DNA sequence: AAGAATTTCAACCGCCAGGAG
DNA sequence: ACTCCTGGCGGTTGAAATTCT
């Protein structure tokens, strides 16, 4: 419940702190539903509350808003949080935007109580085989997460975090090098195939580094209704990828993403998707075979600049979208 | 049954960015 | 350019709830 002490926004009048009573809730709900909140600093006075505006805002946003979902997080939501956290870090508000009816506070609490504990416990079991790195003679190293049943619980803490490609925390990826069996050469970027982010409209995000592969299934979970949830996380939008790996041989109904080591969720993308789909159908799902496959692909593709390796099944529009190899 | 230990989560704090004056 | 105000955010707190012994 925090602690006492003044706050700049409510020094002038004495204000109540701590838990909200049902009566206070009712006053706030009545006021906002009939007037809107307008300027939060004026809400308490107009609503007849002995609270500071900031407290009213927080109460409304985190608890009284009618569109809140409440209740326990579903498995899908938990998975999504883990995936988004890999990419966004502790950007709870950003994460919460992709969980309808959930607040940043709720997501943060859920992470700090439930997920973090599980992840920590699990990382102790499997942190020694989180990641591999292999040299690519024509480019640089590729970091590929080795995944298995504990995909979500691997290496999310301490030096082992993250075990996935995370454009916002490359230093942490580097910190993981001590876990590798073979020390890699100096790495400037852990990611490989560039995506064209020149039109990235997302504000407040650093320029996106090259990204390699959509490495998640849950972010495209069909229960999340549509890809529109990912409007603000452009790196997770399939159209922002140069290449999508698919386990579906039917390119008219591509299924993404190809997730290393695990079955991709069955989820149909819109049929007007324009980026190349690499057919991974039938590929052995062991991590080592996938890495070998990817290495071959990347090497061949980079050496032929714009022509895809002939051994791959690629749609005709495959070609020049790979803009650079880091 | 009851006290201790642990967990949950609502609410707070401080900081920051952006806008107004 | 500067100050002040406000809203928004992430980190943190601690009472209440729950679990453990």
């Amino acid at each position: 419940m925090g602690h006492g002490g003044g706050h700049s926004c409510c020094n002038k009048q004495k204000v109540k702190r701590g838990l909200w009573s049902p009566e206070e809730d009712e006053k706030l709900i009545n006021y906002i539903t009939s007037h809107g909140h307008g300027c939060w600093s004026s809400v308490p006075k107009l609503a007849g509350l002995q609270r500071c505006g900031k407290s009213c805002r927080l109460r409304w946003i985190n608890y009284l808003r009618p569109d809140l979902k409440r209740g326990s997080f579903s498995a899908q939501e938990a998975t999504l949080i883990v995936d988004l956290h890999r990419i966004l870090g502790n950007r709870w508000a950003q994460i919460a935007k992709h969980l309808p009816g959930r607040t940043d506070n709720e997501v943060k609490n859920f992470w700090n109580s439930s997920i973090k504990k599980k992840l920590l416990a699990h990382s102790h079991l499997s942190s020694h085989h989180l990641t591999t790195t292999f040299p690519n003679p024509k480019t640089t190293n590729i970091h590929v997460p080795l995944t298995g049943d504990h995909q979500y619980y691997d290496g999310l803490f301490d030096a082992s975090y993250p075990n996935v490609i995370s454009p916002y925390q490359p230093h942490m990826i580097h910190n993981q090098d001590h876990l590798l069996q073979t020390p890699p050469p100096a790495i400037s970027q852990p990611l490989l195939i560039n995506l064209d982010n020149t039109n990235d409209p997302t504000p407040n995000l650093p320029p996106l580094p090259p990204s390699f592969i959509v490495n998640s299934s849950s972010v495209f979970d069909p229960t999340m209704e549509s890809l529109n949830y990912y409007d603000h996380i452009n790196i997770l939008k399939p159209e922002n990828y140069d290449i999508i790996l698919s386990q579906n041989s039917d390119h008219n109904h591509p299924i993404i993403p190809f997730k290393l080591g695990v079955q991709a969720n069955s989820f149909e993308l819109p049929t007007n998707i324009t980026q190349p789909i690499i057919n991974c159908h039938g590929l052995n799902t062991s991590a080592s075979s996938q890495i070998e496959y990817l290495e071959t692909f990347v090497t061949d593709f980079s050496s032929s600049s714009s022509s895809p390796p002939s051994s791959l099944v690629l749609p005709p529009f495959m070609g020049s979208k790979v803009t650079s190899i880091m």
Side-chain angles (χ1 to χ4, degrees):
Chain A
M1 233 77 51
H3 41 69
H7 196 268
S8 61
C9 76
C10 38
N11 283 338
K12 295 156 196 167
Q13 66 273 61
K14 64 175 180 183
V15 293
K16 188 172 180 289
R17 296 177 185 280
L19 295 177
W20 280 63
S21 68
E23 292 74 25
E24 287 178 306
D25 283 346
E26 192 181 348
K27 284 183 180 178
L28 187 57
I29 290 171
N30 286 342
Y31 177 78
I32 292 183
T33 51
S34 55
H35 299 94
H37 63 74
C39 175
W40 280 110
S41 60
S42 62
V43 164
K45 186 178 179 182
L46 296 170
L49 290 162
Q50 301 273 332
R51 297 272 180 173
C52 74
K54 210 166 183 173
S55 180
C56 292
R57 176 186 164 272
L58 204 67
R59 183 64 179 170
W60 176 258
I61 288 174
N62 283 343
Y63 202 82
L64 300 177
R65 249 168 52 200
D67 57 331
L68 291 178
K69 189 180 280 182
R70 318 290 306 163
S72 303
F73 281 80
S74 68
Q76 286 84 6
E77 287 175 311
T79 298
L80 181 59
I81 290 170
V82 171
D83 278 341
L84 291 173
H85 188 270
R86 282 177 171 148
I87 295 157
L88 295 168
N90 292 0
R91 297 175 174 188
W92 307 117
Q94 290 293 316
I95 293 172
K97 284 178 183 173
H98 302 277
L99 291 138
R102 303 296 188 181
T103 68
D104 55 349
N105 209 37
E106 211 174 1
V107 171
K108 178 172 56 183
N109 282 335
F110 181 60
W111 177 271
N112 286 333
S113 59
S114 179
I115 299 181
K116 196 171 177 177
K117 187 171 48 184
K118 292 175 184 172
L119 294 174
L120 189 56
H122 201 98
S123 69
H124 289 153
L125 297 174
S126 52
S127 62
H128 62 288
H129 52 73
L130 296 175
T131 300
T132 189
T133 277
F134 53 90
N136 183 318
K138 296 196 172 56
T139 59
T140 181
N141 289 340
I142 305 169
H143 284 217
V144 178
L146 292 179
T147 60
D149 341 349
H150 350 298
Q151 163 74 11
Y152 296 147
Y153 292 162
D154 275 344
L156 277 147
F157 290 94
D158 306 321
S160 57
Y161 175 81
N163 71 326
V164 296
I165 294 162
S166 176
Y168 302 110
Q169 293 157 324
H171 62 287
M172 301 189 80
I173 290 177
H174 296 171
N175 289 344
Q176 190 176 311
D177 286 347
H178 73 276
L179 295 169
L180 306 176
Q181 291 184 347
T182 305
I187 298 166
S188 58
Q189 276 286 353
L191 311 178
L192 192 69
I193 299 179
N194 198 11
L195 57 91
D196 181 2
N197 58 14
T198 54
N199 296 321
D200 178 11
T202 307
N204 305 323
L205 288 179
L208 296 177
S211 191
F212 178 35
I213 179 176
V214 178
N215 184 40
S216 168
S217 57
S218 62
V219 293
F220 299 111
D221 192 292
T223 63
M224 300 314 290
E225 294 184 17
S226 88
L227 295 174
N228 292 334
Y229 285 120
Y230 308 101
D231 282 350
H232 300 291
I233 303 183
N234 288 310
I235 56 171
L236 293 182
K237 292 173 73 177
E239 60 265 35
N240 289 331
Y241 281 83
D242 296 314
I243 297 163
I244 287 180
L245 301 187
S246 171
Q247 290 184 328
N248 187 353
S249 58
D250 179 2
H251 290 135
N252 293 323
H253 300 282
I255 293 175
I256 66 160
F258 176 81
K259 187 171 184 175
L260 293 172
V262 297
Q263 285 291 109
N265 282 359
S266 294
F267 175 52
E268 291 188 359
L269 285 169
T271 54
N272 61 350
I273 192 166
T274 55
Q275 73 271 53
I277 309 292
I278 299 176
N279 180 8
C280 298
H281 183 68
L283 181 66
N284 187 314
T285 55
S286 79
S288 58
S289 76
Q290 290 175 29
I291 289 169
E292 185 180 349
Y293 174 87
L294 292 171
E295 183 180 28
T296 301
F297 163 71
V298 169
T299 302
D300 290 352
F301 191 53
S302 63
S303 64
S304 59
S305 58
S306 63
S307 303
S310 57
S311 60
L312 297 170
V313 178
L314 297 168
F317 49 75
M318 181 66 171
S320 58
K321 277 204 77 177
V322 172
T323 55
S324 71
I325 302 291
M326 298 297 290

